[in-house]
Amino acid sequence: MVALAFLIPLGLVVQQLARERAFADAERQTAVVVAVLTVTTDPLAIERAIASTGGPAVSRVSVHNLGEEGLEIGTGHAAAKDLAHAADQAAPVTATVEGGLSYLEPVDVGSGRTAVVEVFIPEDELSNGVSGAWWALTAVAVGLVIASVWVGDRLAAKVTASARQLAGAAGALSEGYLDVRLDPSGPRELAEASFALNVMADRIMALLTNERELVADLSHRLRTPLTALRLDAETLDDSQDADRIRDAIAALEVEIDKLIRAMREPIDAHSPTPDRGERSDGAAASTGEQGCDVAEVVRDRMMFWSAVAGDQERDCKAIGTESPAPVHVAKSELAAALDALIGNVIRYTPQGVPFEVAVTRRDDGYVVLRVEDGGPGIPDPELALQRGESGQGSTGLGLDIVRRVAVEGNGTVNIGTSATLGGASVVIVMADADPAPKEQPPQSRFGLVGRLSREPNERRRRGKAAS
């Protein structure tokens, strides 16, 4: 558009120059004849002056009202009224005639007489070279438009390619692919953003590596006091409490070993990193666990917690553990979630407060694990489910573990008030791993005919009942 804004005025200037050039030639021819007329009115001298102008334009020059007889020299084009009007003027005038313009200049030849010198200017002389100039300017304009479009397209493609590459890298990094790196390119702002993304990815890798090393080191430090506990447990007698303590220490050693092995594994930057809401390929994957029986897990863990409850004079019971209730959750994960819930009851409710654990296998394809107590309850369930948030001075991770297990089991977790014990009620809903097939309603042998025959009788019965 800028090019067109310059080229259109340039074309008009070319057109104006052609017109002025034609008038300049006419003035030059008129000046030769006027110079002769100021000296003599001899027709032969005038004709020789006209012939001296040269070129094909000689035939375009004519002289009118020459001498007393009003002689005419050459072929005129202007009308009589235009000639009369020019004779009355003190300066040259132009008149529009067929095929062009006539340049008329009056000349005082003495004795009160005025002759008029006419130079005919054809239309093609007025626009000589203008069409060629317009075509040339049009070609230049088209070339400039095409060049600007091509350059703009190349620049836009470069910018969009860099922006698309940056958006793709950011999306891959958000999904956990930590090996994403960019070659900074494009405009300065996009190049700086690409460089910043690379620095951020390197920083994330370093932070994750340091975090895993720290967790592994802290887990390894737990082995020393755990070994001491195991040695002390070996000195106990063969009572049921001693066996329970040894089993708990052995389970703790297994979990610490799993944690150390998982943290010592290098980070796979080519695969997505699991977030906090997903279970990583840690303990459950390493043991090959694919699911478990909720009732069995409750029976196993209640053997441990019932002894602890007995020491604190708490009434505890397990309900609904006689029938299997399979779910798609690893046994160790579900046991950890159940330990977290019962441990919260033991730690944060007064001694003697009862609790119960119930398992329900529903017909809608879900298994429900419910832990209830007779304590003060949970005042803010939403805050309690947030990771790291606790109003009891704990780490705030117990209920988050429960939430993650529920998500892993394609279910959810709800916190409310127990209808029987009056305290907190935590309900974990998980999808049934082996749901019973839904019963189909019996189909009538008579199909549509039978249904049509029954509908009038049913409507009559409903009418009688309403009345």
Side-chain angles (χ1 to χ4, degrees):
M1 297 302 296
V2 176
L4 295 178
F6 282 101
L7 292 177
I8 291 177
L10 185 59
L12 296 177
V13 169
V14 171
Q15 185 175 355
Q16 184 64 27
L17 289 176
R19 187 181 182 89
E20 291 179 355
R21 182 175 61 250
F23 276 99
D25 291 341
E27 290 176 358
R28 178 181 58 80
Q29 292 176 302
T30 303
V32 173
V33 177
V34 169
V36 174
L37 286 174
T38 56
V39 177
T40 180
T41 58
D42 183 14
L44 293 178
I46 295 172
E47 290 178 355
R48 284 195 297 269
I50 294 174
S52 67
T53 57
V58 173
S59 60
R60 303 174 190 166
V61 182
S62 60
V63 179
H64 303 278
N65 299 325
L66 181 64
E68 295 179 357
E69 297 82 3
L71 297 177
E72 301 284 336
I73 298 177
T75 303
H77 293 79
K81 61 178 182 178
D82 295 328
L83 295 175
H85 175 70
D88 295 335
Q89 302 298 318
V93 296
T94 57
T96 302
V97 297
E98 182 179 359
L101 295 175
S102 287
Y103 181 79
L104 305 174
E105 183 172 348
V107 181
D108 185 7
V109 294
S111 302
R113 293 175 293 134
T114 302
V116 178
V117 180
E118 177 187 0
V119 177
F120 174 67
I121 305 174
E123 188 68 34
D124 56 354
E125 286 292 330
L126 293 172
S127 60
N128 185 21
V130 175
S131 61
W134 276 112
W135 280 110
L137 293 175
T138 302
V140 171
V142 172
L144 290 176
V145 170
I146 293 175
S148 62
V149 169
W150 182 83
V151 172
D153 179 72
R154 292 299 89 200
L155 291 176
K158 187 176 181 180
V159 172
T160 55
S162 300
R164 191 179 298 111
Q165 183 183 16
L166 180 60
L173 186 61
S174 67
E175 294 177 1
Y177 293 91
L178 303 180
D179 62 332
V180 175
R181 297 296 183 274
L182 291 174
D183 182 16
S185 60
R188 178 180 177 181
E189 292 78 7
L190 291 178
E192 291 178 351
S194 300
F195 179 77
L197 183 69
N198 292 340
V199 174
M200 181 178 64
D202 293 336
R203 183 61 176 165
I204 292 175
M205 281 288 293
L207 290 175
L208 285 178
T209 302
N210 294 336
E211 181 182 5
R212 292 167 69 91
E213 290 294 331
L214 178 61
V215 173
D217 292 343
L218 293 176
S219 302
H220 193 274
R221 293 180 184 180
L222 293 176
R223 283 182 170 178
T224 300
L226 190 60
T227 302
L229 289 175
R230 181 170 54 82
L231 294 176
D232 291 340
E234 294 295 335
T235 62
L236 299 176
D237 54 12
D238 295 333
S239 64
Q240 184 178 2
D241 291 338
D243 293 338
R244 177 174 55 82
I245 294 174
R246 294 189 190 99
D247 292 340
I249 293 175
L252 185 57
E253 285 181 336
V254 172
E255 294 298 329
I256 290 178
D257 290 340
K258 290 178 182 179
L259 182 60
I260 293 175
R261 285 196 299 269
M263 291 299 103
R264 290 299 185 185
E265 292 179 358
I267 298 176
D268 186 4
H270 301 283
S271 61
T273 303
D275 58 22
R276 291 179 176 178
E278 301 175 352
R279 183 180 59 84
S280 63
D281 298 333
S286 62
T287 58
E289 296 176 327
Q290 299 297 328
C292 68
D293 181 5
V294 178
E296 179 184 357
V297 173
V298 172
R299 288 195 301 268
D300 292 344
R301 299 315 301 156
M302 284 300 289
M303 291 178 61
F304 170 80
W305 289 108
S306 60
V308 178
D311 294 339
Q312 295 188 358
E313 299 180 353
R314 298 175 183 267
D315 291 333
C316 65
K317 58 182 177 179
I319 303 173
T321 59
E322 299 82 9
S323 301
V327 293
H328 293 292
V329 177
K331 182 177 181 180
S332 60
E333 298 290 331
L334 184 59
L338 183 58
D339 288 344
L341 292 177
I342 300 178
N344 285 343
V345 175
I346 298 297
R347 283 190 294 270
Y348 303 121
T349 61
Q351 291 192 14
V353 171
F355 70 90
E356 66 180 25
V357 181
V359 180
T360 306
R361 191 177 186 184
R362 301 193 314 209
D363 295 334
D364 58 355
Y366 286 94
V367 174
V368 178
L369 174 60
R370 187 179 72 254
V371 178
E372 298 182 346
D373 62 69
I378 300 176
D380 192 345
E382 294 185 1
L383 180 64
L385 286 174
Q386 296 180 11
R387 184 179 178 88
E389 297 291 340
S390 174
Q392 304 289 340
S394 65
T395 60
L397 301 181
L399 288 178
D400 182 71
I401 295 174
V402 175
R403 181 187 61 82
R404 289 165 56 189
V405 168
V407 172
E408 180 184 349
N410 297 323
T412 184
V413 58
N414 296 312
I415 299 177
T417 303
S418 173
T420 57
L421 300 180
S425 174
V426 181
V427 179
I428 307 176
V429 182
M430 297 166 285
D432 196 330
D434 187 18
K438 295 183 178 179
E439 295 183 0
Q440 298 295 332
Q443 299 293 331
S444 174
R445 294 182 302 164
F446 302 102
L448 178 62
V449 176
R451 181 169 59 83
L452 293 177
S453 65
R454 290 194 306 271
E455 285 180 353
N457 296 329
E458 293 177 356
R459 286 197 295 268
R460 283 196 295 271
R461 285 196 297 270
R462 288 196 296 268
K464 294 179 178 179
S467 61

